[in-house]
Amino acid sequence: MAAQENVQSMLAAQIRLQGFVCDKAIGAKKDAKRSRPDYAVWVLNCGNARYRVSRAPDMAAKVDPLR
């Protein structure tokens, strides 16, 4: 449980640094279909929005707002 909270907090902090709004990180779930080695894709649920966050090492995250 602590690891899951750490992931959602880290993802929320990263998208905030990139200019997206995430009032409160509620949960994060890894998207196994879209993820590959060295390229993780997560669905981040915030209090005000939902995002697909794609992360590759040493690069900014690709953030797609979801409905």
Side-chain angles (χ1 to χ4, degrees):
M1 186 71 172
Q4 182 66 19
E5 290 178 9
N6 189 30
V7 169
Q8 69 191 33
S9 297
M10 183 268 312
L11 289 171
Q14 185 168 16
I15 69 167
R16 285 184 197 115
L17 286 172
Q18 291 182 227
F20 292 89
V21 179
C22 182
D23 293 339
K24 180 182 177 195
I26 297 171
K29 183 176 181 192
K30 192 168 188 175
D31 187 337
K33 280 187 169 182
R34 289 185 166 91
S35 294
R36 301 185 307 268
D38 290 335
Y39 190 78
V41 180
W42 295 84
V43 175
L44 175 65
N45 292 311
C46 298
N48 63 317
R50 191 168 175 228
Y51 301 99
R52 179 176 297 120
V53 183
S54 305
R55 301 187 65 235
D58 301 325
M59 295 181 67
K62 180 180 180 224
V63 182
D64 297 312
L66 301 174
R67 292 185 183 248

